[in-house]
Coordinates of all heavy atoms in Angstrom, one line a residue:
K1 N 0.8 -1.2 0.0 CA 0.0 0.0 0.0 C 0.9 1.3 0.0 O 0.6 2.2 -0.7 CB -0.9 0.0 1.2 CG -2.1 -1.0 1.1 CD -2.9 -1.0 2.3 CE -3.8 0.2 2.5 NZ -4.8 0.1 3.6
A2 N 2.0 1.2 0.8 CA 2.9 2.4 0.8 C 3.5 2.6 -0.6 O 3.7 3.7 -1.1 CB 3.9 2.2 1.9
L3 N 4.0 1.5 -1.2 CA 4.6 1.6 -2.5 C 3.6 2.1 -3.5 O 3.9 2.9 -4.4 CB 5.1 0.2 -3.0 CG 6.4 -0.2 -2.3 CD1 6.7 -1.7 -2.7 CD2 7.6 0.7 -2.6
D4 N 2.3 1.7 -3.4 CA 1.3 2.1 -4.3 C 1.1 3.7 -4.2 O 0.9 4.4 -5.2 CB 0.0 1.4 -4.0 CG -1.1 1.7 -5.0 OD1 -0.8 2.0 -6.2 OD2 -2.3 1.6 -4.7
F5 N 1.2 4.2 -3.0 CA 1.1 5.6 -2.7 C 2.3 6.4 -3.3 O 2.1 7.5 -3.9 CB 1.0 5.9 -1.2 CG 0.8 7.3 -0.9 CD1 -0.5 7.9 -1.0 CD2 1.8 8.1 -0.5 CE1 -0.7 9.2 -0.7 CE2 1.7 9.4 -0.2 CZ 0.4 10.0 -0.3
L6 N 3.5 5.8 -3.2 CA 4.7 6.5 -3.6 C 5.0 6.4 -5.1 O 5.8 7.3 -5.6 CB 5.9 5.9 -2.8 CG 5.9 6.1 -1.3 CD1 7.0 5.3 -0.6 CD2 6.1 7.6 -1.0
T7 N 4.5 5.5 -5.8 CA 4.8 5.3 -7.2 C 3.7 6.0 -8.0 O 2.5 6.2 -7.6 CB 4.9 3.8 -7.6 OG1 3.7 3.1 -7.2 CG2 6.1 3.2 -6.9
E8 N 4.0 6.3 -9.3 CA 3.1 7.0 -10.1 C 2.3 6.1 -11.1 O 1.2 6.5 -11.6 CB 3.8 8.1 -10.9 CG 4.3 9.2 -10.1 CD 5.1 10.2 -10.9 OE1 4.9 10.3 -12.1 OE2 5.9 11.0 -10.2
D9 N 2.8 5.0 -11.4 CA 2.1 4.1 -12.4 C 2.3 2.6 -12.1 O 3.1 2.3 -11.1 CB 2.5 4.4 -13.8 CG 4.0 4.2 -14.1 OD1 4.6 3.3 -13.5 OD2 4.5 5.0 -14.9
E10 N 1.6 1.8 -12.8 CA 1.8 0.3 -12.5 C 3.2 -0.2 -12.7 O 3.6 -1.1 -11.9 CB 0.8 -0.5 -13.3 CG -0.6 -0.5 -12.7 CD -1.5 -1.5 -13.4 OE1 -1.0 -2.5 -13.9 OE2 -2.7 -1.3 -13.4
D11 N 3.9 0.3 -13.7 CA 5.2 -0.2 -14.0 C 6.1 0.1 -12.8 O 6.9 -0.8 -12.3 CB 5.8 0.4 -15.2 CG 5.1 -0.2 -16.5 OD1 4.4 -1.2 -16.4 OD2 5.3 0.4 -17.6
E12 N 6.0 1.3 -12.3 CA 6.8 1.7 -11.1 C 6.5 0.8 -9.9 O 7.3 0.4 -9.2 CB 6.7 3.2 -10.8 CG 7.4 4.1 -11.7 CD 7.3 5.6 -11.2 OE1 6.9 5.8 -10.1 OE2 7.8 6.4 -12.0
L13 N 5.2 0.7 -9.7 CA 4.7 -0.1 -8.6 C 5.3 -1.5 -8.6 O 5.8 -2.1 -7.7 CB 3.2 -0.2 -8.5 CG 2.5 -1.1 -7.5 CD1 2.9 -0.6 -6.1 CD2 1.0 -1.1 -7.6
W14 N 5.2 -2.2 -9.8 CA 5.6 -3.6 -9.9 C 7.1 -3.7 -9.8 O 7.6 -4.7 -9.2 CB 5.0 -4.3 -11.1 CG 3.5 -4.5 -11.0 CD1 2.5 -3.8 -11.6 CD2 2.9 -5.3 -10.0 NE1 1.3 -4.2 -11.1 CE2 1.5 -5.1 -10.1 CE3 3.3 -6.2 -9.0 CZ2 0.6 -5.8 -9.3 CZ3 2.4 -6.9 -8.2 CH2 1.1 -6.7 -8.4
V15 N 7.8 -2.8 -10.4 CA 9.3 -2.9 -10.4 C 9.7 -2.7 -8.9 O 10.6 -3.4 -8.4 CB 10.0 -1.9 -11.3 CG1 11.5 -1.8 -11.0 CG2 9.7 -2.3 -12.8
A16 N 9.2 -1.7 -8.2 CA 9.5 -1.5 -6.8 C 9.1 -2.7 -6.0 O 9.9 -3.1 -5.1 CB 8.8 -0.2 -6.3
H17 N 8.0 -3.3 -6.2 CA 7.6 -4.4 -5.5 C 8.5 -5.6 -5.7 O 8.9 -6.3 -4.8 CB 6.1 -4.8 -5.9 CG 5.6 -5.9 -5.0 ND1 5.6 -7.2 -5.3 CD2 5.0 -5.8 -3.8 CE1 5.0 -7.9 -4.4 NE2 4.6 -7.1 -3.4
I18 N 9.0 -5.8 -6.9 CA 10.0 -6.9 -7.2 C 11.2 -6.7 -6.4 O 11.8 -7.6 -5.8 CB 10.3 -6.9 -8.7 CG1 9.1 -7.4 -9.5 CG2 11.6 -7.7 -9.0 CD1 9.3 -7.2 -11.0
V19 N 11.7 -5.4 -6.3 CA 12.9 -5.1 -5.5 C 12.7 -5.3 -4.0 O 13.4 -5.9 -3.3 CB 13.5 -3.7 -5.9 CG1 14.7 -3.4 -4.9 CG2 13.9 -3.7 -7.3
F20 N 11.6 -4.7 -3.5 CA 11.3 -4.7 -2.1 C 11.0 -6.1 -1.6 O 11.3 -6.5 -0.5 CB 10.1 -3.8 -1.7 CG 10.6 -2.4 -1.5 CD1 10.7 -1.5 -2.5 CD2 10.8 -1.9 -0.2 CE1 11.1 -0.2 -2.3 CE2 11.2 -0.6 0.1 CZ 11.4 0.2 -1.0
D21 N 10.3 -6.9 -2.4 CA 10.0 -8.3 -2.1 C 11.1 -9.3 -2.2 O 11.0 -10.4 -1.7 CB 8.8 -8.8 -3.0 CG 8.1 -9.9 -2.4 OD1 7.9 -10.0 -1.2 OD2 7.6 -10.8 -3.2
G22 N 12.2 -8.8 -2.8 CA 13.4 -9.7 -2.9 C 13.4 -10.7 -4.0 O 14.2 -11.6 -4.1
Q23 N 12.4 -10.5 -4.9 CA 12.3 -11.4 -6.1 C 13.5 -11.3 -7.0 O 14.0 -12.3 -7.5 CB 11.0 -11.2 -6.9 CG 9.8 -11.5 -6.2 CD 8.6 -11.1 -7.0 OE1 8.6 -11.3 -8.2 NE2 7.5 -10.5 -6.4
A24 N 14.0 -10.1 -7.1 CA 15.2 -9.8 -7.9 C 15.8 -8.5 -7.5 O 15.1 -7.6 -7.0 CB 14.8 -9.7 -9.4
K25 N 17.1 -8.4 -7.6 CA 17.9 -7.2 -7.2 C 18.7 -6.7 -8.4 O 19.1 -5.6 -8.4 CB 18.9 -7.5 -6.1 CG 18.2 -8.1 -4.8 CD 17.6 -7.0 -4.0 CE 17.1 -7.6 -2.7 NZ 16.4 -6.7 -1.9
E26 N 19.0 -7.6 -9.4 CA 19.8 -7.2 -10.5 C 18.9 -6.8 -11.7 O 17.9 -7.4 -11.9 CB 20.7 -8.4 -11.0 CG 21.7 -8.8 -9.9 CD 21.2 -9.8 -8.9 OE1 20.1 -10.4 -9.2 OE2 21.8 -9.9 -7.8
T27 N 19.4 -5.9 -12.5 CA 18.7 -5.3 -13.6 C 18.2 -6.4 -14.5 O 17.0 -6.4 -14.9 CB 19.6 -4.4 -14.4 OG1 20.0 -3.3 -13.6 CG2 18.8 -3.7 -15.6
G28 N 19.0 -7.4 -14.9 CA 18.6 -8.4 -15.9 C 17.5 -9.3 -15.3 O 16.6 -9.6 -16.1
K29 N 17.5 -9.6 -14.1 CA 16.5 -10.4 -13.5 C 15.2 -9.6 -13.4 O 14.1 -10.2 -13.6 CB 16.9 -11.0 -12.1 CG 18.0 -12.0 -12.2 CD 18.4 -12.5 -10.8 CE 19.6 -13.5 -11.0 NZ 20.0 -13.9 -9.6
I30 N 15.3 -8.4 -13.0 CA 14.1 -7.5 -12.9 C 13.5 -7.4 -14.3 O 12.2 -7.5 -14.5 CB 14.4 -6.1 -12.4 CG1 14.9 -6.3 -10.9 CG2 13.2 -5.2 -12.4 CD1 15.6 -5.0 -10.4
Q31 N 14.3 -7.2 -15.3 CA 13.8 -7.0 -16.7 C 13.1 -8.3 -17.2 O 12.1 -8.3 -17.8 CB 15.0 -6.7 -17.6 CG 15.5 -5.3 -17.5 CD 16.8 -5.0 -18.2 OE1 17.6 -5.9 -18.4 NE2 16.9 -3.8 -18.7
K32 N 13.7 -9.4 -16.8 CA 13.1 -10.7 -17.2 C 11.8 -11.0 -16.6 O 10.8 -11.4 -17.3 CB 14.1 -11.9 -16.8 CG 13.7 -13.2 -17.3 CD 14.7 -14.3 -17.0 CE 14.2 -15.6 -17.5 NZ 15.2 -16.7 -17.2
I33 N 11.6 -10.7 -15.3 CA 10.3 -10.8 -14.6 C 9.3 -9.9 -15.3 O 8.2 -10.3 -15.6 CB 10.5 -10.5 -13.1 CG1 11.3 -11.6 -12.5 CG2 9.1 -10.4 -12.5 CD1 11.7 -11.3 -11.0
M34 N 9.7 -8.6 -15.5 CA 8.7 -7.7 -16.1 C 8.3 -8.0 -17.5 O 7.2 -7.8 -17.9 CB 9.3 -6.2 -16.0 CG 9.3 -5.7 -14.6 SD 7.7 -5.5 -13.9 CE 7.0 -4.2 -14.8
K35 N 9.3 -8.6 -18.3 CA 9.0 -9.0 -19.7 C 8.0 -10.2 -19.6 O 7.0 -10.2 -20.4 CB 10.3 -9.4 -20.3 CG 10.2 -9.9 -21.7 CD 9.9 -8.8 -22.7 CE 9.9 -9.3 -24.1 NZ 9.4 -8.3 -25.0
Q36 N 8.2 -11.2 -18.8 CA 7.4 -12.3 -18.7 C 6.0 -12.0 -18.1 O 5.0 -12.4 -18.6 CB 8.0 -13.4 -17.8 CG 9.2 -14.1 -18.4 CD 9.9 -15.0 -17.4 OE1 9.7 -15.0 -16.2 NE2 10.8 -15.8 -17.9
D37 N 5.9 -11.2 -17.1 CA 4.7 -10.9 -16.4 C 3.9 -9.8 -17.1 O 2.6 -9.8 -17.1 CB 4.9 -10.5 -15.0 CG 5.4 -11.6 -14.1 OD1 5.5 -12.8 -14.6 OD2 5.8 -11.4 -12.9
C38 N 4.5 -8.7 -17.6 CA 3.8 -7.6 -18.1 C 4.1 -7.3 -19.6 O 3.5 -6.4 -20.2 CB 4.2 -6.3 -17.3 SG 3.9 -6.5 -15.6
G39 N 5.1 -8.0 -20.2 CA 5.4 -7.7 -21.6 C 6.2 -6.4 -21.8 O 6.3 -6.0 -22.9
N40 N 6.8 -5.9 -20.7 CA 7.6 -4.6 -20.8 C 8.9 -4.9 -21.5 O 9.6 -5.9 -21.3 CB 7.8 -4.0 -19.5 CG 6.6 -3.5 -18.8 OD1 5.5 -4.1 -19.0 ND2 6.7 -2.5 -18.0
S41 N 9.4 -3.9 -22.3 CA 10.7 -4.1 -23.0 C 11.8 -3.8 -21.9 O 11.5 -3.2 -20.9 CB 10.8 -3.0 -24.1 OG 10.9 -1.7 -23.6

């Protein structure tokens, strides 16, 4: 909920959540998750 308040759009929210949740810390892993889950380049 705090991240939702601090971020401006869904992409920011999900990338921040990935980092805060510990799913990924490295750029490549974050990019891979976002590509698979959201189709982001």
Side-chain angles (χ1 to χ4, degrees):
K1 285 175 74 172
L3 286 173
D4 189 29
F5 182 83
L6 294 170
T7 56
E8 292 181 20
D9 59 36
E10 277 194 26
D11 290 344
E12 284 187 8
L13 174 62
W14 290 111
V15 170
H17 190 262
I18 289 167
V19 174
F20 274 83
D21 200 33
Q23 294 177 40
K25 304 280 185 184
E26 296 83 21
T27 302
K29 291 180 182 177
I30 296 167
Q31 289 171 324
K32 185 175 181 180
I33 291 170
M34 288 298 290
K35 178 75 173 170
Q36 290 173 345
D37 292 354
C38 304
N40 292 31
S41 71

